Amino acid sequence: MTSDADVVVAGGGPVGLMLACELALAKVSVTVLERLTEVDTKIKAGAINSPSAEAFYRRGMLPDLAAAQRAGIERFSSFLRQRQAAGASGLQAPPKFAGHFAGIMLRGDLLDESDPDFDGPGPAGEVGLVPQEVLERLLAARAAELGVELRRGVTLTGFDAGEDGVTVHTSGGTLRTGWLVGCDGGRSTVRRLAGFPFPGTAPEITGHQALVEMTGAEKLGAGWNWTETGTYVHGPMPGRILTVEFDGPPADREAPVTAQELEESLRKVSGVEGVRIHKVRTATRFTDNARQVPDYRAGRVLLAGDAAHVHAPFGGQGLNLGIGDAMNLGWKLAATVHGWAPDGLLDTYTAERHPIGAWALDWTRAQVALMRPESHSRALREVIAELTGTVDATTFFTKKISGVWQRNDLPGDHPLIGRSAPDLEFSDGSRLAEQLHGGQGLLLDLTDDAELRKRATGYDGRLRVLTAGCPGQPGLAGLLVRPDGCTAWAADRADAAGSAVPAAPDELDAALRRWFGTPADAAA
């Protein structure tokens, strides 16, 4: 089958663009189909978690994200100034922010930052407040630099998948490709046409999020507020509101969100009659439908992001799940396209990402349960709020929200295996994340061991080998890091005297073959 592209990605939001960038970095030809003609400017997620920040850091994008965060902090400062100028009393910047659970704020000054799960992110640990629209623009620019073909204003209308490829039908013609990936959102056309099951729980809320121009806002409580009729949020930027009503899902998710609809919802849940919305700058309508496909792959068709799992948007977990999906899938699909993927590599995509997606669904379901405007939920919310006033609970919730807890269940006993690779600083001042900008795997030799380096023979193009000193980790002998930043193998020095021979060399051989296939010089 002659292909127009190795991979066609349906959906040009952050997840589809991230996946396309990963594929293009691995020299895979990719075409992205996006029905919108411009970047989506609707207000959506406003933050990224630790795994997402690390992913962008490992691809050289951290400076741009840091600049976006500085702009966001300034918007929050502007919100505080406007509230003060309007006469709101008792308003001050919160203690160091560590996230929230169902609107219950977590205080960073109660966080046990000595917990080992917080070790290792390096500069990525300082970046988090990045709006989804900004991220999409940055990824679109990166995709263009990498040569990705982004076809805007084009809708996928159907496809025919066979054993040797996929014929994709669009509003702009037909494409032949080896693989089709649906990154086309919660109402995914790819998922529906491919027949993926989508089990889960039905919605019970109608939510709105918007940036508006309004008067009477000084009467609204700042931040998260729970009332007898629902939940609302005011801030953390001027004109930003969010409402949650518990009387069922919206009648029409697709209808434009009007100023009248937002005003009525805000008045209903806040009880503030004097608030008036004069202009809607951007708005979305959402619910808490929570569903997940059992398997992210059906032959040559795969799903990522909201196409594979949907849930309430609280905490921005959906965006981060999707970025994680793209990082995990990109290099594995590229290896399959290039023909060096070991048996079963592509199947590890579902095996590794499905459990994290299932956790996110339950995490958001729990938040919806806490926000319900009824006595049992209110009592439970008070218990959780009291718990989050402790160091242990704050640390627990922050670890979950930030994503630092995430692991892949990989063979090996070393505590680093399956974890995101620590951002080691080397003797020359460079850092590990900088060695992953090219999207290849990395075998890190920290003891100048020729035998260790020899074991990577035959993996050119799949794996880089780096010999470096690492004063901050004197006991560590070596690491094998997958292209997505996951530690696939690690070993300490064999003895306290600092022998250059790492432990468990046979485990290194097994890990190399498990993730990078058969070396090129191996016998057929």
Side-chain angles (χ1 to χ4, degrees), residues 331 340 342 345 410-412 417 443 455 459 463 479-483 486-490 504-519:
W331 69 278
W340 59 258
L345 179 66
L410 306 187
I417 293 176
L443 178 60
R455 293 176 181 274
Y459 289 101
L463 181 71
L479 289 177
L480 177 63
V481 183
R482 302 187 327 191
C486 177
T487 305
W489 170 87
D506 291 340
E507 292 182 7
L508 171 58
D509 291 342
L512 285 166
R513 289 178 176 267
R514 177 183 178 89
W515 301 112
F516 298 97
T518 304

Side-chain angles (χ1 to χ4, degrees), residues 19-266:
L19 176 61
C21 288
E22 287 298 290
L23 291 167
L25 196 62
K27 309 303 181 187
V28 169
S29 63
V30 55
T31 297
V32 178
L33 309 176
E34 171 52 52
R35 62 179 180 83
L36 299 178
T37 57
E38 302 290 341
V39 171
D40 191 357
T41 59
K42 291 187 180 72
I43 183 171
K44 293 184 180 179
I48 57 175
N49 67 5
S50 184
S52 294
E54 288 181 302
F56 296 125
Y57 177 33
R58 289 163 178 156
R59 298 300 184 256
M61 297 179 64
L62 199 62
D64 289 335
L65 299 183
Q69 176 171 268
R70 288 192 293 271
I73 292 173
E74 175 53 35
R75 286 192 294 271
F76 173 64
S77 299
S78 176
F79 171 69
L80 291 181
R81 292 193 295 268
Q82 287 188 17
R83 291 277 298 176
Q84 291 165 344
S89 61
L91 189 66
Q92 60 184 3
K96 180 181 177 183
F97 179 61
H100 76 84
F101 185 73
I104 300 170
M105 294 296 117
L106 303 174
R107 292 175 43 182
D109 57 339
L110 291 177
L111 180 63
D112 179 9
E113 297 186 79
S114 68
D115 189 294
D117 281 342
F118 293 116
D119 290 344
E126 303 300 320
V127 176
L129 299 177
V130 183
Q132 183 165 326
E133 178 189 347
V134 172
L135 186 58
E136 185 172 332
R137 293 186 185 279
L138 292 174
L139 285 169
R142 176 173 170 81
E145 292 173 358
L146 291 170
V148 171
E149 181 183 14
L150 173 57
R151 298 188 184 182
R152 289 198 172 274
V154 176
T155 303
L156 181 146
T157 59
F159 60 85
D160 302 301
E163 292 184 2
D164 61 345
V166 185
T167 300
V168 181
H169 308 292
T170 79
S171 58
T174 299
L175 285 167
R176 290 177 298 277
T177 184
W179 300 84
L180 172 64
V181 186
C183 301
D184 50 344
R187 283 157 281 180
S188 168
T189 300
V190 174
R191 183 188 66 232
R192 175 174 56 82
L193 294 178
F196 282 90
F198 205 36
T201 51
E204 63 178 78
I205 69 171
T206 292
H208 299 89
Q209 183 176 202
L211 283 176
V212 302
E213 295 178 9
M214 59 183 171
T215 54
E218 67 276 2
K219 300 176 183 178
L220 296 171
W224 285 75
N225 301 267
W226 302 273
T227 72
E228 296 297 322
T229 52
T231 300
Y232 76 94
V233 183
H234 181 210
M237 64 188 72
R240 190 259 183 169
I241 58 171
L242 182 148
T243 64
V244 182
E245 302 172 59
F246 287 81
D247 50 4
D252 185 355
R253 286 282 303 274
E254 298 297 331
V257 181
T258 66
Q260 180 181 355
E261 179 183 350
L262 290 170
E263 186 176 301
E264 289 176 353
S265 180
L266 186 56

Side-chain angles (χ1 to χ4, degrees), residues 390-423:
T390 67
V391 171
D392 286 348
T394 295
T395 301
F396 168 81
F397 279 103
T398 303
K399 286 166 62 172
K400 292 293 187 180
I401 293 167
S402 67
V404 299
W405 63 275
Q406 295 178 14
R407 304 281 191 279
N408 292 321
D409 185 13
L410 306 187
D413 297 327
H414 196 282
L416 290 178
I417 293 176
R419 291 189 56 174
S420 176
D423 188 36

